[in-house]
Amino acid sequence: MGKRKYDDDQITGILKEHQAGVTVADVCHRYGISEPTFYRWQSLQSGNAGPHAKRVRALEEENQKLKKLLAESLLSAATLSEMLAKSTKGRH
């Protein structure tokens, strides 16, 4: 996941600017975002996800870290099992 250009508070400010009467095209041009990005932000905040967006994002980041740790430990366990199998074959 790449680095975000705008944080949740900035996104909320951009959306409020549109609600104050600025057109979507002007807001998008001013902040260098595409219209689909603007509408995606709008749908995320209108669906009551706005107040919970930071919590969800933090959980998603934690989930990614845990998945990476799990993959690394599984790889390590597989490597150790392979090495153990090779060393016991040589003894018989």
Side-chain angles (χ1 to χ4, degrees):
M1 205 155 147
K3 185 175 184 258
R4 297 177 61 213
K5 188 173 180 180
Y6 297 103
D7 64 20
D8 293 330
D9 295 332
Q10 291 171 322
I11 291 170
T12 301
I14 291 169
L15 295 174
K16 284 183 180 177
E17 190 174 326
H18 168 65
Q19 291 173 349
V22 181
T23 65
V24 173
D26 288 341
V27 170
C28 291
H29 180 71
R30 180 175 299 138
Y31 294 100
I33 59 172
S34 66
E35 287 189 21
T37 297
F38 176 86
Y39 288 117
R40 186 180 70 240
W41 289 350
Q42 193 175 42
S43 70
L44 287 173
Q45 292 218 343
S46 68
N48 201 15
H52 305 292
K54 285 184 181 178
R55 176 77 176 135
V56 169
R57 183 158 289 108
L59 289 172
E60 287 173 348
E61 288 175 3
E62 182 181 7
N63 192 30
Q64 288 298 320
K65 289 177 185 175
L66 291 172
K67 284 181 180 181
K68 184 178 178 182
L69 286 172
L70 177 62
E72 289 172 353
S73 65
L74 288 174
L75 181 62
S76 177
T79 304
L80 289 173
S81 294
E82 235 178 83
M83 291 172 55
L84 181 63
K86 287 180 182 178
S87 68
T88 56
K89 281 183 184 176
R91 292 185 179 180
H92 293 298

